[in-house]
Amino acid sequence: MESQPLRHDHYPTSQEEYEAELTETEHEYAAKIEAAKEQVEDKVQGQISRYLLFGAISVVINITLFYLFYHTLGIGYQLANFIDWLISVQCSFWLDRTFVFKHKSDKPVKEMGTFYMTRVATFLLETVILFLGISWMNLNGTITKVVGHAIALVLNFFLSKKLVFKNQPAPAD
């Protein structure tokens, strides 16, 4: 049987007509849902790609500052970690807001507060990793920093996506 477009002025008079219209409607909705899923997947993949790119910049800033403060200036590893964290989180906020999530709002200070709160959680995790790696296991400080920061980086993406930059959809990638 040949498919005919739905007519809003027509009500099915037989079971065949009813099933044909129902099937067509189901196919239309299935196509819309599939298109929406593809659009969401493309958006997420774009965000992840941008997060990796701009996250790399933040990582370089973080690790470089830690190395400078800890190895070059001889500052204790926990204080060096805290100072580099403050600087790199500020850089990360603006990079993530502007380029990764393409977030636009009139409340950047509020978002920055939420951003810092999520980063405090991962900072504490990274601090524990540094303490365990350097003080307990006598591992290389920079390598321990890289491992701790890698774990924090993954958590930061999801926290930023779900808690900080969630209210306004980003424009199409």
Side-chain angles (χ1 to χ4, degrees):
M1 183 173 164
E2 191 174 300
S3 177
Q4 296 180 7
L6 292 175
R7 297 183 346 217
H8 297 288
D9 61 342
H10 172 74
Y11 295 97
T13 57
S14 69
Q15 184 66 24
E16 286 178 351
E17 282 183 359
Y18 174 77
E19 287 176 7
E21 288 188 18
L22 184 61
T23 301
E24 185 173 343
T25 302
E26 288 173 345
H27 290 307
E28 288 174 358
Y29 284 125
K32 286 180 183 179
I33 289 171
E34 189 61 34
K37 280 175 42 179
E38 288 174 9
Q39 188 178 20
V40 167
E41 287 172 4
D42 289 346
K43 179 180 172 184
V44 169
Q45 287 175 350
Q47 285 177 340
I48 291 171
S49 297
R50 289 190 306 272
Y51 187 76
L52 290 173
L53 174 66
F54 290 103
I57 294 169
S58 295
V59 168
V60 168
I61 291 168
N62 189 288
I63 302 299
T64 301
L65 289 174
F66 179 79
Y67 185 87
L68 175 71
F69 295 142
Y70 180 59
H71 291 290
T72 305
L73 300 178
I75 297 173
Y77 71 85
Q78 295 293 15
L79 181 58
N81 187 49
F82 180 70
I83 294 168
D84 82 60
W85 177 82
L86 284 173
I87 296 167
S88 64
V89 167
Q90 192 57 224
C91 293
S92 293
F93 172 75
W94 292 107
L95 290 172
D96 287 359
R97 183 178 196 273
T98 305
F99 300 110
V100 175
F101 297 104
K102 298 180 180 180
H103 191 75
K104 304 221 185 294
S105 77
D106 57 353
K107 299 177 184 175
V109 174
K110 180 182 177 199
E111 291 169 352
M112 189 182 302
T114 306
F115 191 83
Y116 267 91
M117 295 303 279
T118 62
R119 292 309 197 258
V120 165
T122 56
F123 171 76
L124 293 174
L125 175 66
E126 190 173 338
T127 300
V128 168
I129 291 169
L130 283 172
F131 176 74
L132 293 174
I134 295 171
S135 294
W136 279 21
M137 298 179 192
N138 293 320
L139 299 174
N140 178 284
T142 304
I143 292 172
T144 304
K145 172 69 176 177
V146 169
V147 169
H149 196 68
I151 294 167
L153 191 68
V154 172
L155 290 173
N156 286 336
F157 174 79
F158 292 106
L159 291 172
S160 290
K161 183 168 179 55
K162 298 296 182 188
L163 299 176
V164 182
F165 303 115
K166 65 178 168 123
N167 294 335
Q168 188 173 6
D173 291 81

